[in-house]
Amino acid sequence: MVWQDLVFALGSIVFIIALVPTIFSGKKPSIWTSVPTCLVLYAFALTYLEMGFEFAAATTFVSATLWDIIAIQTLYLLEVEGINWEKEEENHRAI
């Protein structure tokens, strides 16, 4: 393991810990935040893996998966509240 792998892995662990309260909270970020974030993080994880940063790849994959969970929770809450997720973008822009 090179030191860069450790730095990226520790940074991802901090993000993972920071995301846990969001998963258990009733308030969720916009779907337009969570979906792009998880997609970019999956791309980062694949890139880390290709570079040989196994620990960074694993922890970033976990972080991306947590953002996936948040996106699914957001979509579920929007459906339960009867809000069209496409209209949610308009609400997000108004904030």
Side-chain angles (χ1 to χ4, degrees), residues 25-86:
S25 171
K27 294 184 178 183
K28 306 295 177 197
S30 168
I31 195 71
W32 299 104
T33 298
S34 52
V35 171
T37 301
C38 77
L39 293 176
V40 169
L41 287 172
Y42 281 130
F44 285 175
L46 181 61
T47 303
Y48 291 148
L49 191 60
E50 290 292 321
M51 294 171 57
F53 296 172
E54 291 87 7
F55 293 110
T59 55
T60 302
F61 182 83
V62 170
S63 182
T65 303
L66 291 178
W67 276 106
D68 261 343
I69 291 168
I70 293 167
I72 291 166
Q73 290 176 331
T74 301
L75 287 173
Y76 175 77
L77 288 174
L78 291 173
E79 184 176 320
V80 166
E81 294 173 1
I83 299 172
N84 184 337
W85 69 271
E86 293 161 337

